[in-house]
């Protein structure tokens, strides 16, 4: 159901379970997400599949759902002949589909509208590199229309996610100013640095604003998330969001995943370590499905009464 509390208030009272990877669940449902628009294509061609994927995560225990807007952009849809007015409607649809899926439970379910990085729209793995050759102002101009469209749909939070470098983080934080919706900021990291090789403490420190309700990492190896959770907590004093990949690595050349096994890197022991270090929003990203999210929910359950 629609939440009665703000996300910030809920996080002050205890940890919440995030969903897992949307694309892998859609693939499990028989959908083709190999398109450059990735799962966002189904906002046009199969919205019922997106709602079904969200419902699968609600059944697994997720209480924060991330929308299918990660790879959506006015520019990307324009290449398919979709006009701006219709694209604005698709952004709103992404929020509405998550809201509809939330009706599958009487528990509060928060909707996080995904604002993916510029590199995701390039569909070439650029989100794992950053440093696109664009200025902060240029990135801000790119992101602002998407953010305005999503904010107008009234999600509970904007997920500024899979951010590879501090330039894009700065651009995103500028673009959300005055939008009226709280945000979380989540970097993709490797080896204790941003994907662009920047100091992670300095990157987290950008998230000092009052509208930032959580800061952390996603779309990274689970082992890279371990130290990042504690660093985000000590640097910012804010609740930490953490939702890594399964442990596999995306190969942009072959457009496939390699190494590791699905869900292999996220287990209850690791989750409890994240909680002890300050994590309050915990789930999974690419290749993490409802079964692993159910394990996360089980690990979080005894923790809710201990945090407040």
């Amino acid at each position: 159901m629609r939440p009665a509390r703000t996300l910030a208030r809920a996080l002050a009272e205890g940890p919440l379970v995030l969903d897992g990877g949307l694309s892998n669940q859609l693939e499990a449902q028989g959908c083709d997400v190999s398109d450059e628009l990735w799962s966002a294509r189904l906002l046009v061609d199969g919205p019922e599949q997106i709602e079904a994927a969200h419902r699968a995560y609600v059944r697994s225990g997720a209480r924060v759902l991330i929308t299918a807007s990660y790879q959506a952009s006015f520019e990307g849809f324009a290449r398919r002949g979709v006009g701006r007015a219709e694209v604005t409607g698709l952004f709103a649809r992404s929020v509405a589909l998550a809201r509809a899926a939330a009706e599958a439970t009487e528990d509060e379910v928060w909707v996080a509208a995904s604002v993916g990085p510029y590199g995701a729209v390039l569909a070439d793995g650029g989100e794992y590199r950053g440093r696109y050759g664009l200025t902060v102002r240029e990135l801000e101009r790119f992101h602002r229309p998407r953010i305005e469209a999503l904010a107008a749909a009234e999600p509970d939070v904007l997920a500024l996610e899979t951010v590879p470098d501090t330039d894009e983080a700065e651009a995103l934080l500028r673009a959300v100013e005055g939008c009226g919706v709280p945000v979380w900021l989540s970097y993709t990291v490797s080896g204790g640095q941003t994907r662009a090789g920047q100091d992670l403490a300095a990157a987290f420190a950008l998230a000092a604003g009052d509208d930032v309700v959580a800061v952390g990492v996603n779309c990274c190896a689970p082992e890279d998330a371990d130290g990042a959770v504690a660093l985000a907590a000590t640097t910012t004093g804010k609740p930490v969001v953490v939702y890594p990949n399964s442990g596999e690595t995306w190969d942009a050349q072959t457009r496939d995943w390699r190494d590791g096994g699905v869900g292999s890197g996220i287990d209850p022991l690791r989750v409890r370590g994240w909680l002890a270090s300050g994590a309050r929003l915990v789930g999974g990203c690419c290749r993490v499905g409802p079964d692993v999210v159910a394990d996360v929910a089980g690990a979080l359950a005894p923790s809710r009464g201990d945090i407040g």
Side-chain angles (χ1 to χ4, degrees):
M1 70 176 186
R2 195 167 186 134
R5 297 173 295 170
T6 65
L7 183 62
R9 179 182 168 190
L11 293 178
E13 296 174 2
L16 293 173
V17 184
L18 281 169
D19 58 10
L22 186 60
S23 62
N24 50 267
Q25 178 56 27
L26 289 168
E27 287 180 322
Q29 293 170 195
C31 301
D32 180 3
V33 293
S34 60
D35 189 275
E36 284 190 358
L37 289 170
W38 206 27
S39 53
R41 178 184 63 80
L42 294 172
L43 291 169
V44 177
D45 297 342
E48 72 286 351
Q49 293 284 359
I50 292 174
E51 183 177 340
H54 287 317
R55 286 180 180 270
Y57 283 117
V58 172
R59 289 193 298 271
S60 75
R63 293 300 176 260
V64 181
L65 300 175
I66 302 175
T67 66
S69 52
Y70 173 82
Q71 204 139 341
S73 69
F74 288 99
E75 294 82 356
F77 278 113
R79 291 194 289 268
R80 303 300 176 86
V82 183
R84 291 188 71 85
E86 186 176 351
V87 177
T88 298
L90 294 176
F91 280 117
R93 178 178 291 174
S94 72
V95 175
L97 291 169
R99 289 281 187 217
E103 296 303 317
T105 178
E106 294 183 356
D107 293 341
E108 292 176 291
V109 177
W110 289 262
V111 171
S114 174
V115 183
Y118 179 78
V121 177
L122 299 177
D124 65 353
E127 64 266 50
Y128 299 121
R129 298 186 302 270
R131 301 299 180 96
Y132 315 114
L134 300 178
T135 67
V136 170
R137 188 175 295 277
E138 287 170 330
L139 287 168
E140 180 185 354
R141 283 200 298 267
F142 169 78
H143 284 298
R144 188 178 294 278
R146 307 166 70 213
I147 287 167
E148 290 174 346
L150 286 167
E154 299 183 345
D156 300 298
V157 63
L158 294 172
L160 313 180
E161 58 176 353
T162 323
V163 180
D165 65 38
T166 55
D167 282 353
E168 187 151 33
E170 184 179 350
L172 284 162
L173 291 170
R174 287 185 185 182
V176 299
E177 288 179 0
C179 76
V181 179
V183 306
W184 81 55
L185 176 65
S186 181
Y187 290 95
T188 178
V189 301
S190 179
Q193 298 178 311
T194 69
R195 292 282 186 167
Q198 298 151 328
D199 179 75
L200 199 50
F204 288 143
L206 293 176
D210 291 340
D211 290 336
V212 181
V213 297
V215 61
V217 296
N218 77 289
C219 208
C220 61
E223 57 267 27
D224 284 335
D226 294 344
V229 169
L231 184 62
T234 56
T235 301
T236 69
K238 292 179 180 290
V240 177
V241 54
V242 54
Y243 51 118
N245 297 334
S246 64
E248 297 164 279
T249 303
W250 174 249
D251 187 326
Q253 298 299 316
T254 63
R255 297 188 64 79
D256 200 2
W257 293 90
R258 56 182 173 81
D259 302 331
V262 175
S264 60
I266 303 176
D267 57 54
L269 181 62
R270 171 164 266 149
V271 170
R272 286 192 285 271
W274 292 338
L275 292 173
S277 296
R280 294 296 177 266
L281 280 165
V282 184
C285 200
C286 299
R287 308 283 283 179
V288 176
D291 55 339
V292 178
V293 170
D295 290 341
V296 172
L300 262 64
S303 302
R304 292 197 58 83
D306 300 334
I307 300 171

